[in-house]
Amino acid sequence: MSDGRVAFSASLGKQSPTDTGPFTTETTLIFEHVITNIGNAYNQSTGIFTAPVRGVYHFEFHIFGTAGIRAGGSLFRNGDLICTAYEHPKSGSVSASNGVSLLLEVGDQVSVRLPIGSSIHENQNHHTTFSGHLIFTM
């Protein structure tokens, strides 16, 4: 049981320039570089946040892409698509982000997935991130 303090932020954690994707199947992104994980509700081995208490949570994610490859990410709750951030740069690099507040029950799971055919880029600047926090319990 959580004492009501739940917040996390994590990046993909790559130190040298690395592309993830594209893949032929939708893939859960694992944000290995944990910046904050108060309440330990984010699992850096699976990339999945699990709600420890019933309440309203806010999540946001930021993705970074490079020229010529679709860059995207989608936020899922319990396997259901909630929102997407997407760009298709013709040249240079791009970033896209999205955020949402969700009512979660204990045990609900939230993650960011890389859509089929999309790619994201990461380096020591930690451009690609996933964050969330409990706003209030219900």
Side-chain angles (χ1 to χ4, degrees):
M1 181 72 170
S2 169
D3 65 2
R5 293 182 285 191
V6 180
F8 78 96
S9 284
S11 74
L12 284 182
K14 311 302 183 195
Q15 290 301 311
S16 58
T18 304
D19 291 321
T20 300
F23 301 118
T24 57
T25 59
E26 195 173 70
T27 305
T28 299
L29 292 171
I30 299 174
F31 297 84
E32 297 173 342
H33 178 74
V34 174
I35 300 160
T36 302
N37 195 8
I38 298 166
N40 294 313
Y42 175 73
N43 185 324
Q44 73 188 71
S45 298
T46 64
I48 297 172
F49 172 87
T50 303
V53 297
R54 183 176 193 266
V56 176
Y57 295 79
H58 182 78
F59 297 93
E60 60 184 56
F61 61 100
H62 304 270
I63 57 101
F64 183 75
T66 55
I69 300 174
R70 292 178 294 197
S74 298
L75 188 87
F76 282 80
R77 175 184 53 203
N78 299 330
D80 294 327
L81 175 65
I82 302 299
C83 61
T84 297
Y86 176 85
E87 287 285 344
H88 192 170
K90 299 299 181 200
S91 63
S93 56
V94 296
S95 62
S97 60
N98 210 336
V100 64
S101 295
L102 299 171
L103 173 59
L104 298 181
E105 301 296 332
V106 173
D108 281 353
Q109 295 187 327
V110 177
S111 63
V112 177
R113 297 182 189 173
L114 186 67
I116 295 170
S118 291
S119 177
I120 53 177
H121 184 79
E122 182 67 299
N123 60 31
Q124 72 279 2
N125 294 319
H126 305 293
H127 297 285
T128 301
T129 60
F130 177 34
S131 301
H133 64 272
L134 175 64
I135 299 172
F136 53 84
T137 59
M138 296 286 291

